[in-house]
Amino acid sequence: MGLLFWIAIIVIPLWAYFAYQFLSTGRLAPLLSPSFKIGDLPALNGKLCIVTGATSGIGRVTAVALAAKGANVIATSRKSHSRGKGLEIANDMQKEVGDMASTLGSSPGDLVFMPLNLASLSSVKSFGHEFAVAYNSSLDILVLNAGVMHTDFGLTEDGFEMQRGTNHIGHFFLTKLLMDNLMQAPQARVVAVSSLAHMMGTPDIGTHTDVP
């Protein structure tokens, strides 16, 4: 019998076994039993939340779900080039909030749009100022969801490598600006959405502004 036969009979089952052991006992275990559902969220009426990268993908679902459970949600995005377009997207999302709240039997909160480009520290600073003026209150939940992936090499306007500048430094600066508001909340939560991609490489902190 050929080599491929023995690979199929021995190697693949062994690989599958060890992969299962890792998944069931390691950091990926929650993926095996995704039993948590949107309906399991507690009522969030009166809570104020910010979700970055909230007009598509996971961020959009998160923002809609939080608002459907009663939270007042600020949805941010860099993709909406004008505030008018952002308001149009927010109106569409608010309709989704109403539909989900109706399904869940909950009392929905409001969802509004505010522009934020995490690849620009000046944009982050402007957002922090605008938030402070519009919402002189505590911030209960901050979801750091926005990010870019697998982009061509480039630098942010502040000189950071694009992925690191957007996904990490921009969010770090945003959290710092909002820290006083978070500290005012009795049980504030900061949720950073991450990726398994970090397992495929080793970061070189010293080259964040170097050209290839």
Side-chain angles (χ1 to χ4, degrees):
M1 297 181 183
L3 178 61
L4 291 179
F5 173 82
W6 290 110
I7 291 176
I9 295 298
I10 299 176
V11 177
I12 293 179
L14 283 175
W15 178 88
Y17 171 77
F18 286 115
Y20 174 80
Q21 290 299 315
F22 174 72
L23 288 170
S24 61
T25 60
R27 290 171 292 176
L28 304 184
L31 297 181
L32 290 179
S33 56
S35 59
F36 187 84
K37 300 178 178 62
I38 292 175
D40 296 328
L41 285 170
L44 297 172
N45 301 84
K47 302 292 186 182
L48 180 61
C49 310
I50 294 175
V51 182
T52 67
T55 56
S56 63
I58 294 174
R60 185 171 184 139
V61 175
T62 300
V64 169
L66 292 173
K69 294 295 289 188
N72 295 318
V73 177
I74 300 170
T76 80
S77 175
R78 66 178 177 85
K79 295 180 181 178
S80 302
H81 299 293
S82 68
R83 187 176 293 273
K85 181 63 176 177
L87 293 175
E88 180 182 333
I89 295 174
N91 287 336
D92 290 340
M93 292 174 67
Q94 189 67 59
K95 294 176 183 177
E96 297 173 20
V97 170
D99 291 341
M100 184 178 291
S102 178
T103 300
L104 297 173
S106 57
S107 177
D110 293 326
L111 187 148
V112 299
F113 171 81
M114 289 177 65
L116 171 63
N117 180 8
L118 289 159
S120 165
L121 296 184
S122 63
S123 175
V124 177
K125 189 173 183 179
S126 295
F127 174 88
H129 175 73
E130 187 174 347
F131 174 83
V133 172
Y135 299 91
N136 185 22
S137 64
S138 60
L139 175 62
D140 298 281
I141 301 173
L142 173 60
V143 182
L144 308 176
N145 166 77
V148 296
M149 183 185 75
H150 198 58
T151 60
D152 293 332
F153 181 83
L155 302 177
T156 68
E157 65 180 47
D158 304 288
F160 301 108
E161 187 275 322
M162 185 60 69
Q163 290 192 170
R164 184 170 294 149
T166 303
N167 300 2
H168 303 288
I169 296 174
H171 272 144
F172 179 87
F173 186 43
L174 175 66
T175 305
K176 181 178 183 296
L177 292 176
L178 299 173
M179 188 58 67
D180 287 344
N181 302 91
L182 288 164
M183 294 297 290
Q184 292 176 31
Q187 291 183 314
R189 295 289 184 270
V190 178
V191 180
V193 179
S194 187
S195 165
L196 297 178
H198 71 279
M199 300 176 67
M200 297 185 290
T202 302
D204 185 351
I205 303 300
T207 60
H208 67 284
T209 57
D210 292 349
V211 297

